[in-house]
Amino acid sequence: MEIINRRQRIFSISRKFRRDDKKVGFVPTMGALHAGHLKLVEECRQRTDITIVSIFVNPTQFNDKADLEKYPRDLTQDAAMLAELGVDYIYAPDADEIYPEGFSTYVDVEGLTSRMEGAFRPGHFRGVATVVTILFNTIRPDIAFFGQKDAQQVAVIERLTRDLGFEMEIAVLPTVREPSGLAMSSRNERLSDADRKKAVVLFDALCAAERAFKGGEPNAASLAEIVKDTIKKEPAATLDYVSIVDRKTLQPIEKIGDSEVLIAAAIEIGGVRLIDNLILDNRQ
Ligand code: PAF
């Protein structure tokens, strides 16, 4: 495994493999790797010939400076985990390699980014869309792998991939959960042991809504109430939002019909913001 910092070098390496008819797989990350990331890497290894993982804490997607500063960074530990899984290359650029002096071009994915997470983290998806576009353009992978946990990010990346004409597949893998049901996230490390136990209320609330849906309740407002009522039972948690939206367009849905619908929610607990979602699909 090789760790590469220079954009030009990872570009040349990836181009060489593509010219040799090798399938290039890419897993973009910000480091602080957990089991969710490792699952993406394993899938990438199975489905492609060359696995490239990027580790870059992207400053433009943090609307809160303190959050950026607090973000855990441990390249040595991350690299050890990736070497164990047989990753071929880590691309770990410095910020000025991604955003050179005078950088002024951003990617805005309209219509998908103002609600849900976008309403609470202004500019976040512009930063994500911009860095992902730069990374895709540098690596030009055949397949890039993302986790369903960040459902809005997935919708944004699928849209920019189509709109900007990237010839590649976006593979989306199910959310990996702790035994309690809590979705894996780098942010979980910032929860106290007590809050980590309480945080499972988010998944419980989504599951309660899913049960009602499977039991025949198609109305989004009623399902949202179930989520709100369940979260209220945990005094340590405050609900930021619960949204029931079309999975691809993220437009709000009133009654669940025949398309894939996302029920997504965010809570704050012990000063840590957590998100989670489930897919509700009548066709399953
Ligand atoms: O999901 C993440 O870790 C980040 O948003 C991503 C996709 C690596 C872009 O910085």
Side-chain angles (χ1 to χ4, degrees), residues 26-31 33-34 37 40 54-62 71 99 121 124-125 127-132 135-136 145-147 149-150 153 157 186:
F26 176 44
V27 183
T29 81
M30 298 207 298
L33 303 179
H34 53 67
H37 296 111
L40 300 179
S54 65
I55 296 183
F56 177 62
V57 183
N58 174 34
T60 62
Q61 71 186 73
F62 287 83
Y71 203 86
Y99 300 113
R121 304 173 72 187
H124 170 69
F125 289 112
V128 170
T130 302
V131 78
V132 166
L135 292 169
F136 282 0
F145 295 80
F146 294 89
K149 191 199 131 234
D150 295 305
Q153 169 169 287
I157 291 168
S186 311

Side-chain angles (χ1 to χ4, degrees), residues 18-19 66 103 108 136 196 204 212 223 230 256 259-260:
R18 273 183 282 113
R19 284 190 176 158
F103 184 93
D108 257 316
F136 282 0
R196 202 164 175 141
D204 288 347
L223 298 174
T230 313
I256 303 177
S259 62
E260 272 189 328

Side-chain angles (χ1 to χ4, degrees), residues 28-46:
T29 81
M30 298 207 298
L33 303 179
H34 53 67
H37 296 111
L38 302 186
K39 192 87 202 140
L40 300 179
V41 171
E42 277 166 10
E43 183 77 9
C44 183
R45 289 263 297 127
Q46 274 174 22

Side-chain angles (χ1 to χ4, degrees), residues 57-129:
V57 183
N58 174 34
T60 62
Q61 71 186 73
F62 287 83
N63 52 308
D64 175 358
K65 253 192 169 331
D67 211 19
L68 172 63
E69 272 149 30
K70 272 190 281 180
Y71 203 86
R73 293 165 175 85
D74 190 342
L75 183 58
T76 312
Q77 187 177 312
D78 289 341
M81 287 186 198
L82 295 175
E84 188 123 319
L85 289 184
V87 163
D88 299 289
Y89 297 94
I90 295 177
Y91 177 42
D94 286 336
D96 56 5
E97 199 67 24
I98 297 288
Y99 300 113
E101 179 79 34
F103 184 93
S104 62
T105 306
Y106 292 88
V107 178
D108 257 316
V109 182
E110 292 178 356
L112 297 182
T113 53
S114 54
R115 275 192 286 265
M116 300 161 68
E117 281 306 285
F120 286 83
R121 304 173 72 187
H124 170 69
F125 289 112
R126 182 188 196 236
V128 170

